[in-house]
Amino acid sequence: MADSKVVMVSGANRGIGLAVVTQLLGEGYRVSAGVRDPSKMPFPLMQEYSETLAVFQYDATEVDTTAVSSAQGWVTETVARWGRVNAVVMCAGVWIQVPLLHADEADIDLMFDVNCKGPMRLARAVLRVLKENPDGRVVSLVSMSGKRVPGTSMGYSMSKFAQLALHQSIRNEGYNSGIR
Ligand SMILES: NC(=O)c1ccc[n+]([C@@H]2O[C@H](COP(=O)([O-])OP(=O)(O)OC[C@H]3O[C@@H](n4cnc5c(N)ncnc54)[C@H](OP(=O)(O)O)[C@@H]3O)[C@@H](O)[C@H]2O)c1
């Protein structure tokens, strides 16, 4: 257990994030789960994997008045707990149907904040720590909506195309340090 790799997973309390966490724990990884409300993490899973699952408060949109993000706090707490981070799986995301002629921009702003700027803040917070391993890994749950626009899903796709650009930037800037 002491040598098993440490994986941070955002959006870990439900959906794809929870499925990823469950799979990783079953395969012996240590998992740092980032969730908006830690009380929403399934209690039976926390009991079963009390040694290898740690749950931390993380909100993709939060940045304090000194420009420190919630992501930075989560990375710091993970390193304090286990001394390293080998991989990050970015699952936190929101989907809202916003077609081109929908005038209100609030939903667009939210999707950019959570789907795109949130992972950017997390990547900025974790890149230096990932580079301490020879083989850091970053997985971004983008979507086919980050490659083409299905119907009237303009807003979600705009944020997901941007998330793909972020992901390629992580690859570019981490490549020489072994990050894939
Ligand atoms: N489901 C699909 O078919 C599909 C297909 C392609 C791509 N994706 C992408 O895959 C990822 C996961 O999708 P999913 O279907 O599992 O989504 P989901 O079931 O709706 O879960 C979304 C997760 O994101 C978290 N989240 C939302 N806003 C957040 C914030 N501000 N800070 C931190 N966490 C936040 C949610 O936390 P709360 O419980 O606190 O709300 C939840 O844990 C998303 O990025 C999505 O765009 C999904």
Side-chain angles (χ1 to χ4, degrees), residues 11 13-16 36 59-60 91-93 114 141-143 156 160:
N13 58 299
R14 62 185 168 95
I16 296 170
R36 285 198 288 188
D59 189 317
C91 287
V114 178
L141 272 287
V142 181
S143 173
Y156 180 69
K160 289 294 180 173

Side-chain angles (χ1 to χ4, degrees), residues 8-13 31-41 46 53-64 68-79 81 92 122 125:
M8 297 177 69
V9 182
S10 73
N13 58 299
V31 174
S32 170
V35 296
R36 285 198 288 188
D37 179 355
S39 72
K40 287 188 178 167
M41 201 66 198
M46 292 174 66
L53 172 61
V55 182
F56 298 105
Q57 203 279 331
Y58 161 70
D59 189 317
T61 65
E62 260 179 37
V63 181
D64 74 13
V68 175
S69 65
S70 173
Q72 183 61 65
W74 177 27
V75 171
T76 301
E77 288 179 294
T78 302
V79 172
R81 174 72 181 261
L122 181 52

